[in-house]
Amino acid sequence: MTKNILLNLGIIICKILYFSYAVIFAAFLVFFVHHQVKPSAYANIDVAIVTGTSQMFFARTKTYKDQIGDKVLEDSEVFVLNKLKKSSLYFNFVKFSLLVFLMFLVVREFQKIIESVKEVRTFQKRNIKSFRKIGRYLLGIFALVSYSSYIFEEGGTSSFCISLELLIFVLIAFIMSEIFEEGSKLWENSKLTI
């Protein structure tokens, strides 16, 4: 009984995440279109450049600001949202869209696994494929979050970082696919011997 409650809770959480990703993407799309139409609305919004916040995070960041005459520009004059170059805006929009899409796919595959466990079809080949897909999607997410670049009219910043936690999740997904493959083989052998 407890198992079904937890599995049902997992399915509900997956559905909430689907909805959340859709809302996040819609909000970002509205921002993107509005920034194209009226960039002056973002004149006073500074862009906070954040590098790794985790203990298992290695980063290399390069930030530069141009100089106008003898005056050194302040961050609040350079890293302002309305001064973000179009190429950088498009790059980050595509990157963010792919990230949300891949996270949506990870949750979808995870929900498939939960549903098959709930239906007592745990060691099916479908779950093996789902774990491998999750591993590949997480590798895609790792690639997307590893590099960031923001280019403004009078400066910019770019960083390369390696999230070890994300790589651990990739490894776990592939290990789980191997475990489920072994479980599938054992299940098939037990069916043959009965």
Side-chain angles (χ1 to χ4, degrees):
M1 183 70 174
T2 308
K3 179 180 172 183
N4 281 339
I5 292 171
L6 290 175
L7 295 174
N8 287 333
L9 182 63
I11 292 169
I12 290 168
I13 289 171
C14 288
K15 290 180 180 179
I16 290 170
L17 286 173
Y18 287 152
F19 179 73
S20 300
Y21 291 144
V23 168
I24 289 168
F25 179 74
F28 193 69
L29 184 61
V30 167
F31 156 75
F32 178 75
V33 170
H34 189 258
H35 191 281
Q36 300 296 307
V37 175
K38 194 174 181 184
S40 60
Y42 302 95
N44 295 324
I45 300 176
D46 293 344
V47 177
I49 309 299
V50 179
T51 57
T53 56
S54 169
Q55 292 176 352
M56 297 180 73
F57 199 97
F58 300 103
R60 171 100 172 110
T61 304
K62 180 181 178 188
T63 304
Y64 66 93
K65 292 184 281 186
D66 292 340
Q67 194 170 329
I68 299 178
D70 291 334
K71 181 183 175 195
V72 176
L73 298 171
E74 296 294 321
D75 285 357
S76 60
E77 296 173 292
V78 177
F79 304 117
V80 183
L81 204 50
N82 72 322
K83 293 184 178 182
L84 190 65
K85 288 194 173 184
K86 295 273 188 205
S87 59
S88 185
L89 183 68
Y90 282 102
F91 170 79
N92 285 295
F93 175 74
V94 170
K95 176 183 167 182
F96 183 79
S97 300
L98 286 171
L99 236 140
V100 170
F101 180 66
L102 287 173
M103 290 189 299
F104 177 85
L105 292 176
V106 166
V107 172
R108 186 183 71 174
E109 292 301 324
F110 192 65
Q111 182 180 349
K112 286 180 186 178
I113 293 168
I114 293 172
E115 287 170 349
S116 73
V117 170
K118 184 180 172 188
E119 295 166 2
V120 193
R121 294 184 286 136
T122 305
F123 293 109
Q124 287 190 332
K125 295 199 185 297
R126 183 176 99 178
N127 287 342
I128 299 165
K129 290 178 183 176
S130 287
F131 274 117
R132 288 185 180 146
K133 284 181 183 178
I134 289 171
R136 287 192 296 269
Y137 297 151
L138 289 173
L139 270 176
I141 291 170
F142 171 78
L144 287 171
V145 299
S146 292
Y147 178 74
S148 67
S149 175
Y150 300 95
I151 302 168
F152 298 87
E153 291 171 6
E154 295 147 345
T157 183
S158 63
S159 65
F160 178 77
C161 56
I162 296 174
S163 172
L164 293 179
E165 288 143 343
L166 200 48
L167 285 177
I168 289 169
F169 284 127
V170 170
L171 185 63
I172 288 171
F174 285 121
I175 288 171
M176 289 302 292
S177 75
E178 293 302 317
I179 291 170
F180 272 62
E181 189 169 19
E182 286 300 314
S184 176
K185 288 176 186 173
L186 290 172
W187 183 69
E188 302 247 344
N189 288 340
S190 71
K191 277 195 333 186
L192 291 173
T193 56
I194 289 173

